[in-house]
Structures are given as C-alpha cells and as structure tokens.
Amino acid sequence: MPQKVRIALDAMGGDVGAPVVIPGAAISLARHRDTEFLLVGDRAKIEPELDKHPKLKAASKIIHTDVAVSMEDKPSQALRRGRKTSSMWLAIDAVKKGEADVAVSAGNTGALMAMSRFHLRTLKGIDRPAIAAVWPTTRGDSVVLDLGATIGGDAHHLVSLAVMGAAMASVLFNKPRPTVGLLNIGTEEIKGHEEIREAGEKLRAMNLPQLDYVGFVEGDGIGKGLADVIVTEGFSGNIALKAAEGTARQMAGLLRNEMQRSWLSKLGYLFARGAFQALRDKMDPNKSNGGVFLGLNGVVVKSHGGISAEGFAYAIDVGYEMVHYDLLNKINQMLNRDGGALSSVPTAQEAVS
Amino acid sequence: MPQKVRIALDAMGGDVGAPVVIPGAAISLARHRDTEFLLVGDRAKIEPELDKHPKLKAASKIIHTDVAVSMEDKPSQALRRGRKTSSMWLAIDAVKKGEADVAVSAGNTGALMAMSRFHLRTLKGIDRPAIAAVWPTTRGDSVVLDLGATIGGDAHHLVSLAVMGAAMASVLFNKPRPTVGLLNIGTEEIKGHEEIREAGEKLRAMNLPQLDYVGFVEGDGIGKGLADVIVTEGFSGNIALKAAEGTARQMAGLLRNEMQRSWLSKLGYLFARGAFQALRDKMDPNKSNGGVFLGLNGVVVKSHGGISAEGFAYAIDVGYEMVHYDLLNKINQMLNRDGGALSSVPTAQEAVS
C-alpha cells in the first residue's frame, strides 16, 4: 500500500488528554513511518507536547477546537453539546469527510459510540454496531466481540458479528478463514438462548468461505484460544471481558503481595525477575488496548481512558492495521457477497443511547 | 444445634465416583464430627472404599442402587431413565423424605438440577431455581448467583435472587445485612437491561432489613469484592464465572512456564516457593467447589465432576454449613416477610430442561 495511513486523534480524550495522546502518537509513528496524523483539540495544549517530538510534528496537522467531551457526559449530552464542535466529533468528522482513514479516541465510550453511529451511520446490512478487541489467549490472540455496544440481539445480529469479527481476525492474524465460535453456557446443543442456537444453525448452513464456524465456546474457552473469533452480544461480552481483566489484576496483586512477605521470597523474586517480566509482558493490558467499532461506514478505535502513552500507542497501532489491511473493504465484500443472508432485521436494543 | 447434620451423597456422581466421594466424605467428617452420611450407590463400589475409613463407616448408612446417571445424559434422559432408581435421584429423595438435610452430588449439572426441581419443587414465591457459589475476592469471599440454572428473567426474578443470595451470604459470612450488587455493564443508571434497572429500583424501594443494596457492579467489581452478593441471570453469571476461572488457569500456566525457563528463575522459584504456595492456596479452585441450588424445598449442592477428594470435601462442607446455619429457614423467612413484593410472576426461561 503506497498511500499513507491517515489517523485522526482526539487529542483531548481520556483522563489525561494531550500529554498521553501526543507521546503515544510519537511511539506509534516510530513503528509505522507511513502514518500521518490529524491532531484534534486545543492547540495551546497540543503544541507544547508536539514540540517535544519533532518527527511527529513533521507528520501532523492540528485541527483546533476548545470544546471537549468530558468523561462524565452521557451519550445524549455529548451529542447535544459536542456535535460539530468537540475534538471527538471533529476526529470522527475527518473520517466522514475522507480526510482521515481512522479516528482514535480515549474519550468516553458511550459518547464516542453515539457520535460515531450518528455521524458515520451503520453499514448496509448491519443494524447495530459492535465493539471488538483482541484477547490474549494461551494459543496466541483472539478477536472477541461485542464488548458492550449493543445489548441483546437476534440470530441475524450474531451472524453479522461473526462476519465482521472474522474480517477483523483475517486482517489482524493474516488468516484467510479464521475459526469462529459462539459464546454459550454449554457445548451441548440443548443449552443457551434460542437466538444463539439459531445463529449457530445459520452459520453452519451458510458455510461461508471467509469463516470456519466451530460451534459453541464456553467462557473458559476464550482464554484457551478455542476460536480465532468469539461472538456474543454486548452484555455478556462486556461481563466476560471485565471478569477476566479483574481476575488477572487480582492474581497479579496477590502474587505481588506474597512475594513481598518474606526476605526469602523477595530474594526469589530477584532471581526470577526475568520470568515475572515475561509474565507481565504477556498479560500487559496495554497491549490489548484498542476496541474497534465495527459495523460503521468508517473505522473508529476506542482506547482505555486511564492509559499510558505506551498503551495509547497500541490503540493507534490497531487503527493503523485496520486501515493498512483494508478492514472496511473486507467487511463490505463479505456483507455484499452474502447480502441475502444478512438482510436487515432490526431487533437489537442499544446500550449507549 | 444439638442435632446431627444428615448429608446424602450421590456416591456414583462425578468422573470417578466412589473413590473420590468416600474419601472426600472422610475428610469433611474430620472437620465436622456432627455429621451423618447416607451413601447412595452401588454397595459393591462403596464398601471397599468405606473399609479404608472406619470413622466414616461408623457414621454412614448405605442405600444401594446400581443405577447411575451418566455425565453425558441430557436432563430429560436422566429424568426418564434415572427417576426413582438412580443414586442421584435417591440422594435427592432422602432430602424430600426428610431423611437427609442436604444432598451433594458431583454428577452432571443439568440432570441434578432437573431432578432436584422435579422432585423438591420450588419454594413458594420462587419461579425458577438458581445456582450460587462462593467467589474468592481481594477482600474475602462473595456469593455469586445465578451461575447457570435459569437463563434470563425479569426484575422479580433478579430480586428473588438477591434475597436468596443474601440469605446464603448471611449464613456463610455471618453478616446480618450483607451488601448486594446487581451485575451490569456500566455503573451509570442509563446502561444495562431494562429488567436490571427495574430490579435495582425495586431493591432500593424495598430497603429490606436483611440486605443492603449497593447498586450496579461491573464484571471486574466481583473480584474486587464490591459486594457480598453479586446478582445476575444465569447466562451472564456462567460466562463471568468461566471467563474468570479460565483467566486464573491461563495466568497460573504462564507463570509455571516462565519459572521453568531458566536456571535462575528455577532458583528463584525455590526461594519463593512459600509465596507460590500461598498464591495457590488462595486461588485454589477446590476451595470454591460447591454450587448451591437455591429456591427449592431442600438444599442440594453440586460439586465439580472432575474434582479430587479434597475438592469434594469442600462441597460437602458447603452443604454442612447451609444446614448447620439453617439456610432454608432464613430464605423462607425472608420470602414470607416480603411475600407481597416477591409474588410469583413466571417469565424466566430455563436452561437445563
């Protein structure tokens, strides 16, 4: 791909704003030299940070606005107050106008989803958007979706999640036909919601060339890497993600405490610190930062709000890869090819508005 | 309580059967001398095990049957084939007849729930049963329910789960007014399913003397111990539990691998093995073994199928404590006291039949 990847950053988003976003962009740029940035936000806050990173400065334009969506704004408030003026909106607007290929924000999830949906609209054949992210497993990585954009949904919705997740996995993992599993509470056919069973039957019957449906996967199957893509509606996806994140933090905390408890274990820690570092690297939440909004006419990536510059850089990387490997076209191709099977049946209830 | 606690054991349940169940009973008996056992199953398999544990033998009666429910039987098959004859049924039957105070089985969950429900029936004011278990948190332990008995459910169902979970927590943790949270995907009032919001409003309005409703808790709030009782419907509860269990196993595996990778880290492991042992103890899945079926006219405890005698003993302990501290009466008192608020509105869909 000879063209540059153009990334719009909401420089005011997240708990910290520009002091995290700008150095994060500098880190990501060092990994992907073919990036250009649109930095959207308060010029007075962006420029001092940008002056510390001359290479980034050379690859960036600033779009000034002094309006920012706060982390506390409800989606409806954000839309009312921040439409057409806020840094979040203007970053999405750059994607809408074709001035950027992807927007990345660490701002509040509900507001970002509401604005993205309002401005970019859903893809033909997609009723409701989804949030997808990479989940580290014992076999590598998997894509899990939906992590909280849309609560509930019928079999059609689950099938469209499978298609979009498979497109993302094929881009990220370079697999032409990633495996897809439906999250359920038992592998026996008799269990689970009716819509999950129906989605399973549909996926099996469709036998799509772009995805290999492998059946139901239970909650502990995600971490085992039983499928490249795990599909569920937004409520249980969010619960699964946060329960797993919580457990990882809980164990790390326990381990830290126990290692501090005696001089012998402290000594042991010193000897084994390479192993602990490797563990930390593998479970590093920064590295799985970057929730991709799927199902819209444009790519938007959500970073955690309380993240470091390192972590924000990973979210930018995710956006870069989605553009570089042409996610949106892949999704559209799959949707159009199978347009009949994915015809629109609006039933899902939305979480963010 | 001067009376003995009478426990009926499905001696054929689980992946192994009597060779795990009988030594498990011996371990639990050593902790609670005031226990009597009804051992239900094939006498030829039970007696050789029992001969190794004379104290247990003295405290046990055998109820012979050579019919056993297999781990593969669907609930409907188990009911058809095993009703009135299987070890699982006869253990539940002992509770029904008042010959035992609690039944414990490591047999298949769906069959055990179907038989328990069919034979014991739900309590007045309860539409659908639930499975509750103890979840280790950074602050101690919490009760989480429903872990997969009933999929979905309205606000009334969630409120009844809150009441039953609070009764269990008050028994287990000796707290007269345990805190209760509703699992949700955001702490903002605007998020989540309609029925969760409604349940929250009901619990707040009821202001029950037996529980302190603290609001919504997200998936990572369970492990933080944000409430003594976490309430959710069975699908998301099961997903949360298994996602957390999976993550714990994944981290333990990673840590083990990394510690084996160099002689320096192996040495570190030797020095710090006390700390690792403490970590293992705290995250020991055996210790949280024992899912309690709530909402029935009798107490039934489900052990994991693939568990050691140590692990099975913990499930027996859970049954013992439920009886010793009079769980069923506590639940009934709460239900009757607030009978108006918990009047029966059947809507939930069931998972196991």
Side-chain angles (χ1 to χ4, degrees):
Chain A
M1 188 180 256
Q3 248 183 319
K4 294 228 173 183
V5 171
R6 301 161 308 160
I7 301 178
L9 299 181
D10 170 9
M12 304 291 105
D15 298 347
V16 176
V20 158
V21 170
I22 305 304
I27 294 168
S28 180
L29 177 65
R31 293 197 276 255
H32 306 115
R33 289 289 178 195
D34 59 334
T35 314
E36 283 176 356
F37 289 100
L38 285 176
L39 307 174
V40 190
D42 187 345
R43 184 180 292 277
K45 287 176 180 157
I46 294 171
E47 278 182 340
E49 295 296 329
L50 203 50
D51 286 337
K52 301 176 199 163
H53 303 282
K55 279 179 188 161
L56 177 64
K57 194 171 184 176
S60 301
K61 274 180 224 161
I62 295 174
I63 299 178
H64 173 77
T65 177
D66 44 22
V67 180
V69 170
S70 96
M71 293 305 268
E72 288 72 39
D73 280 350
K74 289 183 182 171
S76 54
Q77 288 177 324
L79 261 176
R80 211 163 47 239
R81 293 182 195 159
R83 176 143 51 115
K84 301 194 178 176
T85 56
S86 65
S87 58
M88 186 183 275
W89 176 276
L90 293 172
I92 298 165
D93 188 51
V95 174
K96 170 85 175 183
K97 288 180 179 157
E99 293 164 5
D101 303 304
V102 56
V104 183
S105 174
N108 103 48
T109 312
L112 186 64
M113 180 53 91
M115 284 186 172
S116 300
R117 187 153 185 242
F118 186 91
H119 203 31
L120 299 174
R121 303 280 158 186
T122 53
L123 289 168
K124 193 170 166 289
I126 298 291
D127 307 317
R128 297 277 187 264
I131 304 175
V134 169
W135 186 301
T137 79
T138 48
R139 288 199 198 167
D141 287 324
S142 296
V143 167
V144 181
L145 76 167
D146 171 18
L147 298 176
T150 301
I151 292 182
D154 57 8
H156 167 76
H157 177 64
L158 293 172
V159 169
S160 69
L161 292 180
V163 166
M164 295 193 294
M168 181 167 156
S170 73
V171 162
L172 278 180
F173 312 145
N174 196 23
K175 286 185 184 177
R177 199 169 187 241
T179 54
V180 175
L182 288 169
L183 192 64
N184 204 343
I185 69 168
T187 46
E188 305 147 55
E189 296 293 329
I190 50 151
K191 286 193 178 177
H193 287 286
E194 190 50 54
E195 60 270 25
I196 302 176
R197 284 196 289 272
E198 202 188 318
E201 285 159 19
K202 277 191 183 204
L203 284 168
R204 196 156 275 149
M206 288 160 83
N207 190 27
L208 297 169
Q210 305 93 337
L211 67 89
D212 178 13
Y213 174 63
V214 296
F216 297 152
V217 172
E218 293 192 67
D220 56 348
I222 311 174
K224 285 180 193 162
L226 295 187
D228 298 319
V229 182
I230 305 286
V231 170
T232 186
E233 57 78 40
F235 188 86
S236 44
N238 188 282
I239 296 292
L241 176 73
K242 294 207 170 152
E245 283 178 349
T247 304
R249 267 198 302 271
Q250 193 182 342
M251 278 189 72
L254 264 176
L255 187 60
R256 204 163 38 236
N257 288 346
E258 292 303 335
M259 298 305 282
Q260 294 300 322
R261 212 175 277 276
S262 74
W263 65 268
L264 209 57
S265 60
K266 281 183 194 167
L267 194 63
Y269 177 80
L270 280 181
F271 282 125
R273 67 178 179 271
F276 285 109
Q277 189 55 50
L279 181 72
R280 254 197 301 275
D281 283 352
K282 278 186 184 155
M283 301 299 288
D284 184 359
N286 281 336
K287 287 192 179 164
S288 44
N289 187 33
V292 181
F293 290 3
L294 294 175
L296 302 170
N297 289 299
V299 185
V300 175
V301 176
K302 164 71 175 85
S303 162
H304 274 297
I307 200 90
S308 63
E310 282 286 350
F312 191 75
Y314 281 108
I316 300 175
D317 290 350
V318 168
Y320 173 90
E321 292 193 59
M322 294 297 122
V323 174
H324 192 72
Y325 297 103
D326 222 5
L327 172 72
L328 217 54
N329 268 335
K330 287 208 174 158
I331 292 179
N332 268 322
Q333 278 165 16
M334 287 173 79
L335 289 175
N336 291 336
R337 175 168 194 156
D338 310 296
L342 295 179
S343 61
S344 181
V345 188
T347 54
Q349 178 203 343
E350 219 184 334
V352 293
S353 62
Chain B
M1 189 180 261
Q3 246 183 320
K4 294 227 172 184
V5 172
R6 301 161 308 160
I7 301 178
L9 299 181
D10 170 9
M12 303 291 104
D15 298 347
V16 176
V20 157
V21 171
I22 305 303
I27 294 167
S28 180
L29 178 65
R31 291 197 277 254
H32 306 115
R33 290 286 176 199
D34 58 335
T35 314
E36 282 176 355
F37 288 101
L38 284 177
L39 307 173
V40 191
D42 187 345
R43 184 180 293 276
K45 286 176 181 157
I46 295 171
E47 279 181 339
E49 295 296 329
L50 203 50
D51 286 336
K52 300 176 199 162
H53 303 282
K55 279 181 189 160
L56 177 63
K57 194 172 184 176
S60 301
K61 273 180 229 162
I62 295 174
I63 299 178
H64 173 78
T65 178
D66 43 22
V67 181
V69 170
S70 96
M71 294 305 268
E72 288 72 37
D73 280 351
K74 288 182 182 173
S76 54
Q77 288 177 325
L79 261 176
R80 210 163 48 239
R81 293 183 196 159
R83 176 141 51 115
K84 301 195 177 173
T85 57
S86 64
S87 58
M88 186 184 275
W89 176 276
L90 293 172
I92 298 165
D93 188 51
V95 173
K96 170 87 175 181
K97 288 180 180 157
E99 293 164 5
D101 303 305
V102 56
V104 182
S105 174
N108 104 47
T109 313
L112 186 64
M113 180 52 93
M115 284 187 173
S116 300
R117 190 156 182 239
F118 186 91
H119 202 32
L120 298 175
R121 304 281 158 184
T122 53
L123 289 169
K124 189 168 170 288
I126 298 291
D127 308 315
R128 297 276 187 265
I131 303 176
V134 168
W135 186 301
T137 78
T138 47
R139 289 200 198 166
D141 287 323
S142 295
V143 167
V144 181
L145 77 166
D146 173 20
L147 299 176
T150 301
I151 292 182
D154 57 8
H156 167 76
H157 177 64
L158 294 172
V159 169
S160 69
L161 293 180
V163 166
M164 295 193 293
M168 180 166 157
S170 73
V171 162
L172 279 180
F173 312 144
N174 195 24
K175 286 185 184 177
R177 199 170 187 241
T179 54
V180 174
L182 289 169
L183 192 64
N184 205 344
I185 69 169
T187 46
E188 305 147 54
E189 295 294 328
I190 49 152
K191 285 192 179 176
H193 288 286
E194 190 51 53
E195 61 270 26
I196 303 176
R197 283 196 290 272
E198 202 187 317
E201 285 160 19
K202 277 192 183 204
L203 285 168
R204 195 156 275 148
M206 288 159 83
N207 191 26
L208 297 169
Q210 304 94 336
L211 68 87
D212 178 14
Y213 174 63
V214 297
F216 298 151
V217 172
E218 293 192 67
D220 56 347
I222 311 174
K224 284 180 195 162
L226 294 187
D228 298 318
V229 182
I230 304 286
V231 170
T232 186
E233 55 78 41
F235 188 86
S236 43
N238 188 283
I239 296 292
L241 177 73
K242 294 207 169 152
E245 283 178 350
T247 304
R249 267 199 302 273
Q250 192 183 342
M251 277 189 74
L254 264 177
L255 187 59
R256 203 162 37 237
N257 287 347
E258 292 301 335
M259 299 306 283
Q260 294 300 323
R261 213 177 276 276
S262 74
W263 65 267
L264 209 58
S265 59
K266 282 182 195 167
L267 194 64
Y269 178 80
L270 280 181
F271 281 125
R273 67 178 180 270
F276 286 108
Q277 190 54 50
L279 180 70
R280 257 196 301 274
D281 283 351
K282 279 188 184 155
M283 300 300 287
D284 184 0
N286 282 337
K287 288 193 179 165
S288 43
N289 188 31
V292 181
F293 291 2
L294 294 176
L296 302 170
N297 289 301
V299 185
V300 176
V301 176
K302 165 73 175 84
S303 162
H304 274 297
I307 199 93
S308 63
E310 282 286 350
F312 191 74
Y314 281 108
I316 300 176
D317 291 351
V318 168
Y320 173 90
E321 292 195 57
M322 294 297 122
V323 175
H324 191 72
Y325 297 103
D326 222 6
L327 173 72
L328 218 53
N329 269 335
K330 287 210 174 158
I331 291 178
N332 269 323
Q333 278 165 15
M334 287 172 79
L335 289 175
N336 292 335
R337 176 168 192 154
D338 310 295
L342 296 179
S343 61
S344 181
V345 188
T347 53
Q349 177 203 346
E350 220 184 334
V352 293
S353 62

